[in-house]
Amino acid sequence: MRASVPFRRIVQLGIKSLLLHKLRSILTMLGIIFGVCSVIAMLAIGEGASYEAQQAIKQQGSANIIIRSVKPAEGGGSSGSSGSSSRSSASEYGITYKDAGRIQETLPGIRRVLAARIIRDEVRAGQVAFPCQIIGTHPIYQEINRLQVVRGRFLGTIDETYMNNVGVITASLAERLFPSTDPLTQQVKVGADYYQVIGIVRERGIEQKRTQSGGGNEGQPLDSNLYIPLSTARSRFGETLIRRSAGSFQAERVQLHQLTVQMDAPDLVESAADQINAILVKFHEKKDYEMIVPLLLLKQAEEAKRRSNIVLGSIAAISLIVGGIGIMNIMLATVTERTREIGIRRALGARKRDIVTQFLVETVVLSVGGGLIGVVLGIILPFVVTAIWEMKAIITWWSPLLAFGISALVGVVFGLYPASRAAELSPIEALRRD
Amino acid sequence: MSRGAIIRIRGLTKVFKMGDSEVHALAGVDLDIEEGSYVAIMGPSGSGKSTMLNILGCLDRPTAGTYHIGGKDVTHLDDDELSSVRGERIGFIFQSYNLIDQLTVLENIHVPLFYQGKDLVDCAEHCEELAKLVGLGQRLDHRPKQLSGGQQQRVAIARSLVNDPLMILGDEPTGNLDSKTGAEVLDLMDRLHAAGKTIVMVTHGDEVAKRAQRIIHMKDGAIDREVVNRR
Ligand SMILES: Nc1ncnc2c1ncn2[C@@H]1O[C@H](COP(=O)(O)OP(=O)(O)OP(=O)(O)O)[C@@H](O)[C@H]1O
Ligand SMILES: [Mg+2]
């Protein structure tokens, strides 16, 4: 039998005839270009957003359960008897030391329980005053919340036992209070009490943005913290806290603001959360606490991401199919337009499959070319978006491959019909056409 | 003188079905054509000349009858095999030239070899020679649209020779040309014939037919009479 045409020659033939109609070829590719580009860019931005969310959640620890005191919603709003009563007597709510004890005693699999009081007040150093959060807590706070000691040391057990008047401040607070002096030699003042600065810390990784849910937004930076021993906080501040809000004073009695229960392993977390809730419900008439389970949030975030990937995938599929139909449309027109050429080639010895290949190559070149351009744009676009809007975008290794693979597949699928139409024409019929 | 029939058809019939009616374009044609002969096919419009030439050129299949090329039965070949026969053994010259517009003269001449898997770079010399033979050695890079009708037809002739075919088939190759350019093309055909090529040409012009050795007159899908030219 005779030799057949080398494949690369037919490919060259296809590319050559595409180059003959450059504008048309580019316009035809646009659908695929946009499709592929948007798939990659959307996936990258979605991936970036969910990465940030997951990091924030992971920061809280996947073996942790966080319980926070929340000011309960008052029945009839702020007006009426409840409003006036809360002004006269201190409103009491939140997690108690007893709650902490009960949880620690009854729940199996607990590694440790970290209690914290969070008080908003002003810290002073000489003439400088600055609003900040005073966090009364245990030494293990540093480990559980992954604080990085920049200088000095964190709170120790001794500080707790002797109710030492010592404090650890965050780096940003240190900069503000002591711009020119060494903070470790200085004292800070809250109310009437002085605390010796013993260390400077920095939060590692992404900061946990929410602190005290009931606390509203007083407007001080979240990273301005003063850590003191819990025992010290108890003796200095007592249980009643005065909050200034909108010109009126409000007294609140809150024993503990936050309780972090760290379990031995993440798989204990879900059942532990249920049990903790059961314990708390028994002793709290009103819902004056909230429970945050980072692990569950993480699972939800992952589920949400899976869903959004499905949605993105569908949009991608549709846009690529639309692009493919565009290509098919043009190729059908091309076949009609070039019927004569097909007839001539057939008369001069081209087999059906040579014609099929020639036209299929054109479609595949269009879609693969569009796919490649789309991949390049799709990789560039997230960087532009990140630069402009400070969003995080992560291009996963598989998304360009997927987008590119689908575009190539679209080329073959939508190219087969026009190509076979071209080949099935009888040579004389084709030659007779003008 | 018998060098063996290169074309041998027996009882060749072609029926076109148009809905309910049937057109008997060919009604049982027997014909032998010797190698190296120059045959003209004449006859009134609709007598089946083109239909016969298309079957001779393996562009179409007969409804009934047999067709042998060089002793080989090609009646029942499949589509790919017919493509091969066309590509390797037949040279076509059409009334409307049928060059590919986007290709250059040289590339057009090369097309039949392309489908035999031969690269243009490897046979450029051969194609150029043929272009020179038809007097277009200076026009290798021109596109068909840049050439006159006569020049285009000469490109087509060069193309029909590129695969060194057993026969050259022409369906009114001078039909679109004025008499002077037509004569030039026919002179070229004479030279090919002199060089030993087998030529079968459908024509309406007596001037054209005079150059052939045999003139076959067709009528209503059958051979009416045959004239042998003696020069
Ligand atoms: N594809 C076809 N479908 C139907 N009928 C056809 C077809 N091709 C040819 N015919 C018919 O077959 C008959 C012979 O046609 P053909 O083209 O062979 O004539 P011709 O001798 O070449 O005429 P002309 O000199 O006008 O070119 C005509 O009646 C024509 O209508
Ligand atoms: Mg005809």
Side-chain angles (χ1 to χ4, degrees):
Chain A
M1 276 304 321
R2 69 177 185 152
S4 61
V5 196
F7 183 65
R8 84 198 135 87
R9 291 295 166 209
I10 300 253
V11 173
Q12 281 175 357
L13 189 66
I15 292 174
K16 221 172 137 187
S17 75
L18 288 176
L19 288 178
L20 218 61
H21 306 279
K22 287 192 194 69
L23 181 64
R24 184 204 280 179
S25 303
I26 288 168
L27 288 177
T28 312
M29 280 195 282
L30 276 183
I32 296 285
I33 293 177
F34 285 143
V36 168
C37 171
S38 61
V39 170
I40 297 175
M42 282 194 299
L43 284 175
I45 290 164
E47 190 72 26
S50 91
Y51 174 81
E52 282 192 330
Q54 295 191 11
Q55 277 308 104
I57 295 166
K58 275 182 189 155
Q59 185 73 19
Q60 295 177 317
S62 53
N64 292 353
I65 298 167
I66 298 161
I67 306 142
R68 286 181 180 144
S69 295
V70 180
K71 195 180 170 105
E74 283 164 56
S78 57
S79 63
S81 60
S82 66
S84 57
S85 74
S86 74
R87 200 163 291 174
S88 56
S89 68
S91 68
E92 191 175 342
Y93 66 90
I95 323 157
T96 61
Y97 293 100
K98 275 187 181 164
D99 290 333
R102 282 187 206 107
I103 289 169
Q104 195 146 24
E105 280 156 27
T106 48
L107 219 63
I110 286 185
R111 190 153 161 235
R112 50 198 171 184
V113 174
L114 172 69
R117 295 191 52 140
I118 300 167
I119 300 144
R120 281 156 205 284
D121 210 328
E122 245 176 24
V123 241
R124 287 173 178 281
Q127 296 303 312
V128 196
F130 210 77
C132 92
Q133 282 192 138
I134 297 127
I135 301 177
T137 189
H138 305 296
I140 52 163
Y141 187 97
Q142 184 214 341
E143 197 194 324
I144 291 182
N145 289 282
R146 295 165 213 222
L147 296 182
Q148 184 189 356
V149 178
V150 185
R151 293 193 56 203
R153 62 174 179 89
F154 198 70
L155 306 172
T157 356
I158 304 176
D159 303 319
E160 216 174 13
T161 343
Y162 295 103
M163 297 186 212
N164 284 344
N165 285 336
V166 292
V168 174
I169 54 176
T170 49
S172 59
L173 189 60
E175 272 166 33
R176 285 173 178 126
L177 293 175
F178 308 107
S180 53
T181 47
D182 180 5
L184 292 190
T185 62
Q186 304 292 316
Q187 292 187 321
V188 290
K189 187 184 176 195
V190 180
D193 303 306
Y194 287 92
Y195 301 87
Q196 175 66 43
V197 178
I198 56 165
I200 300 171
V201 291
R202 182 177 287 141
E203 286 192 38
R204 216 174 278 176
I206 297 155
E207 205 174 310
Q208 180 189 318
K209 291 278 154 74
R210 291 200 305 173
T211 45
Q212 193 186 357
S213 312
N217 39 345
E218 263 78 1
Q220 87 258 38
L222 293 165
D223 52 353
S224 297
N225 294 345
L226 166 65
Y227 302 94
I228 59 174
L230 182 61
S231 51
T232 315
R234 250 180 120 172
S235 72
R236 295 290 166 219
F237 292 91
E239 309 297 2
T240 311
L241 304 170
I242 311 293
R243 284 182 54 194
R244 287 175 218 95
S245 57
S248 71
F249 291 97
Q250 212 173 332
E252 286 181 349
R253 265 172 175 286
V254 179
Q255 290 188 7
L256 287 174
H257 291 91
Q258 185 169 313
L259 208 58
T260 307
V261 180
Q262 190 172 44
M263 305 302 296
D264 283 334
D267 51 346
L268 299 173
V269 163
E270 266 182 72
S271 67
D274 292 341
Q275 282 170 276
I276 291 171
N277 203 36
I279 294 168
L280 293 178
V281 162
K282 241 188 270 176
F283 297 94
H284 292 253
E285 282 172 21
K286 287 182 177 173
K287 179 123 171 79
D288 54 358
Y289 63 90
E290 64 168 5
M291 197 152 59
I292 296 152
V293 186
L295 187 73
L296 293 183
L297 293 178
L298 196 65
K299 281 186 180 167
Q300 282 167 14
E302 273 162 7
E303 174 64 19
K305 186 188 144 200
R306 205 179 60 82
R307 278 169 201 231
S308 85
N309 275 355
I310 290 174
V311 172
L312 288 181
S314 316
I315 294 173
I318 291 168
S319 69
L320 284 173
I321 287 172
V322 170
I325 292 171
I327 290 187
M328 180 157 88
N329 197 13
I330 293 293
M331 287 314 293
L332 282 174
T334 304
V335 167
T336 311
E337 184 182 287
R338 286 160 63 185
T339 302
R340 184 70 168 253
E341 179 195 330
I342 295 165
I344 297 169
R345 289 184 182 277
R346 293 280 276 131
L348 300 180
R351 294 163 304 174
K352 279 184 182 174
R353 82 183 84 132
D354 295 328
I355 302 295
V356 170
T357 325
Q358 182 186 344
F359 283 90
L360 201 54
V361 159
E362 288 193 24
T363 354
V364 172
V365 166
L366 281 177
S367 65
V368 164
L372 278 179
I373 298 175
V375 164
V376 171
L377 292 182
I379 289 174
I380 294 172
L381 191 65
F383 284 107
V384 176
V385 168
T386 346
I388 297 176
W389 286 291
E390 283 188 13
M391 284 157 71
K392 195 172 182 67
I394 299 170
I395 298 167
T396 51
W397 63 269
W398 50 264
S399 74
L401 290 183
L402 179 80
F404 182 70
I406 293 178
S407 69
L409 188 71
V410 158
V412 174
V413 169
F414 288 95
L416 270 175
Y417 177 63
S420 65
R421 273 250 309 234
E424 288 309 321
L425 281 166
S426 100
I428 348 170
E429 282 293 318
L431 279 174
R432 210 172 273 158
R433 250 25 109 71
D434 293 297
Chain B
M1 90 156 226
S2 175
R3 288 153 74 192
I6 201 166
I7 292 172
R8 170 179 294 239
I9 56 182
R10 290 288 177 272
L12 203 69
T13 307
K14 181 73 185 179
V15 181
F16 292 106
K17 288 207 170 64
M18 306 279 286
D20 290 339
S21 66
E22 287 184 345
V23 180
H24 291 258
L26 291 178
V29 177
D30 297 340
L31 179 66
D32 284 348
I33 293 175
E34 310 289 310
E35 185 171 2
S37 59
Y38 188 168
V39 179
I41 300 176
M42 297 187 78
S45 184
S47 57
K49 306 181 295 292
S50 295
T51 306
M52 182 146 95
L53 203 74
N54 288 339
I55 293 172
L56 291 182
C58 291
L59 284 168
D60 207 354
R61 293 166 198 271
T63 312
T66 57
Y67 176 25
H68 288 75
I69 297 179
K72 188 187 175 209
D73 189 354
V74 297
T75 324
H76 303 291
L77 296 183
D78 68 21
D79 196 86
D80 278 4
E81 290 165 331
L82 286 178
S83 299
S84 291
V85 173
R86 289 197 295 268
E88 289 167 10
R89 324 188 103 180
I90 294 167
F92 287 104
I93 308 168
F94 303 93
Q95 180 176 1
S96 47
Y97 328 131
N98 279 341
L99 301 177
I100 298 173
D101 287 340
Q102 62 264 34
L103 302 183
T104 63
V105 165
L106 198 65
E107 288 166 338
N108 263 296
I109 295 173
H110 171 249
V111 171
L113 296 183
F114 177 86
Y115 288 107
Q116 289 179 32
K118 293 178 187 157
D119 277 359
L120 179 55
V121 280
D122 298 330
C123 40
E125 219 173 300
H126 176 47
C127 297
E128 268 181 59
E129 260 169 40
L130 290 172
K132 279 181 199 143
L133 178 77
V134 298
L136 291 169
Q138 309 303 313
R139 302 280 199 145
L140 298 179
D141 295 326
H142 285 62
R143 313 266 164 192
K145 288 275 156 64
Q146 298 167 314
L147 301 176
S148 73
Q151 288 168 331
Q152 289 190 53
Q153 195 60 298
R154 282 189 274 154
V155 176
I157 292 170
R159 183 180 66 185
S160 75
L161 294 169
V162 80
N163 54 354
D164 193 21
L166 286 175
M167 55 179 138
I168 294 170
L169 305 180
D171 195 345
E172 301 182 47
T174 56
N176 282 8
L177 302 174
D178 61 55
S179 53
K180 188 171 162 289
T181 7
E184 283 170 20
V185 165
L186 289 170
D187 287 345
L188 200 51
M189 304 294 280
D190 283 348
R191 276 166 56 198
L192 297 178
H193 174 230
K197 291 286 173 196
T198 311
I199 299 171
V200 181
M201 203 161 70
V202 170
T203 182
H204 278 292
D206 289 331
E207 295 299 313
V208 181
K210 271 180 197 148
R211 298 173 181 250
Q213 294 170 311
R214 289 168 73 190
I215 305 169
I216 293 164
H217 289 271
M218 290 188 69
K219 195 181 170 189
D220 299 330
I223 296 179
D224 188 35
R225 64 199 159 86
E226 194 181 322
V227 178
V228 177
N229 274 344
R230 304 231 178 261
R231 271 183 280 173

